[in-house]
Amino acid sequence: MAHILVVDDSASLRSMVAFTLKKEGHQVTEAANGQEALTKADAGNYNLVLTDVNMPQMDGVTLCGELRKKPAFKFTPILILTTESSAEMKQRGKAAGATGWLVKPFNPDTLLSTIKRVIR
């Protein structure tokens, strides 16, 4: 199964996502913001990053762009899970290198099927 980095400033949302992923056998590492996620990205080997957009210290779109600069994350799928659904925000995410966009509240089945599609 996959090793997934889950990034969200909401502890309750992180734990719900982690629970859903672990139930499917995935290994999960959690980060509370983009800055913490970058530190953990350097220390681990991930098959997928799942990030919120609006977070303190570093938002998810900036995180996406920073991860794409790292050779280890050049082709790693990055999914953005957020309440943001505007076309402009989705375009910013895509420009930063996001693989896909999921809108909160998340549906566990949709989340899992999307992850299955993007992880090789």
Side-chain angles (χ1 to χ4, degrees), residues 45 54 88 112 120:
N45 188 8
N54 298 312
E88 184 216 343
L112 294 170
R120 291 161 202 17

Side-chain angles (χ1 to χ4, degrees), residues 26-48:
H26 297 296
Q27 183 183 346
V28 176
T29 299
E30 297 179 33
N33 60 61
Q35 197 59 57
E36 185 184 335
L38 268 186
T39 303
K40 291 187 175 187
D42 288 334
N45 188 8
Y46 299 96
N47 306 102
L48 180 103

Side-chain angles (χ1 to χ4, degrees), residues 17-67:
V17 169
F19 175 80
T20 301
L21 298 174
K22 287 174 181 173
K23 210 169 63 179
E24 288 295 304
H26 297 296
Q27 183 183 346
V28 176
T29 299
E30 297 179 33
N33 60 61
Q35 197 59 57
E36 185 184 335
L38 268 186
T39 303
K40 291 187 175 187
D42 288 334
N45 188 8
Y46 299 96
N47 306 102
L48 180 103
V49 178
L50 185 64
T51 184
D52 184 18
V53 170
N54 298 312
M55 298 178 289
Q57 295 179 38
M58 182 187 293
D59 68 84
V61 173
T62 304
L63 171 63
C64 192
E66 290 300 311
L67 287 173

